Amino acid sequence: MQRASSLTLARSAATRSVSLALPAGAVSMFQHAPRRAHATTQGWTIDLRGKVAFVAGVADSRGYGWAISKMLAEAGATVVVGTWPVVLPGFLKTLATPEGYGEDQKLTNGSKMEFSKIYPLDLTFSNKEEVPEKIMQSKYYKDLTEGF
């Protein structure tokens, strides 16, 4: 067992796992979050009310981006997402329908998960000036006014 500052790390050769123990009396945001807006994951309660989270790569309700966004929303965070311009119209169209993504969009408190902003995001380019003219004139990019 090694001692690193005020934390204790223990390594088990049999299981090849590492466990972390906080000293007695340590205050953690995971243990003391209010019960109104929170997400519980593996025994930790996380309170993200008043925080804004950006998640890249949300295009439907089947991927990791959606799952991450949903956990952040469950914890009370304001969620902003970036979506590839090619799939952005379909994503926005589904969200605009009354049923949206149905049960996948429903939070544990019964409310519907909402995104505060949805940006077009193409990680191939750092800014709009880097996008080749041929791509900028395509039906997916020509009407974009923000993003990248």
Side-chain angles (χ1 to χ4, degrees):
M1 193 177 297
Q2 292 179 298
R3 187 126 182 120
S5 65
S6 64
L7 301 177
T8 304
L9 297 171
R11 183 174 176 90
S12 168
T15 61
R16 301 206 189 294
S17 65
V18 176
S19 62
L20 176 68
L22 293 173
V27 177
S28 169
M29 71 178 214
F30 300 114
Q31 297 170 348
H32 303 288
R35 293 181 182 255
R36 289 188 327 204
H38 69 275
T40 302
T41 177
Q42 297 188 18
W44 295 350
T45 301
I46 303 170
D47 180 12
L48 296 176
R49 287 177 294 165
K51 306 291 184 190
V52 177
F54 178 79
V55 181
V58 180
D60 57 36
S61 66
R62 297 177 306 212
Y64 288 114
W66 183 275
I68 291 166
S69 297
K70 193 167 181 179
M71 285 302 293
L72 291 166
E74 291 279 6
T78 299
V79 182
V80 177
V81 297
T83 302
W84 189 37
V86 174
V87 297
L88 182 61
F91 183 59
L92 293 173
K93 185 177 180 180
T94 302
L95 285 173
T97 63
E99 61 276 357
Y101 282 95
E103 288 297 313
D104 290 344
Q105 201 170 354
K106 193 175 191 180
L107 299 176
T108 55
N109 66 7
S111 68
K112 188 175 178 182
M113 178 175 65
E114 302 287 342
F115 301 111
S116 69
K117 184 74 177 159
I118 301 171
Y119 289 101
L121 177 69
D122 190 331
L123 295 175
T124 308
F125 311 107
S126 298
N127 56 58
K128 205 170 186 174
E129 290 73 34
E130 291 181 6
V131 182
E133 188 63 30
K134 182 178 178 180
I135 293 175
M136 280 305 294
Q137 295 307 314
S138 74
K139 67 180 182 179
Y140 303 111
Y141 288 77
K142 69 179 178 182
D143 295 327
L144 298 179
T145 58
E146 58 187 352
F148 299 96

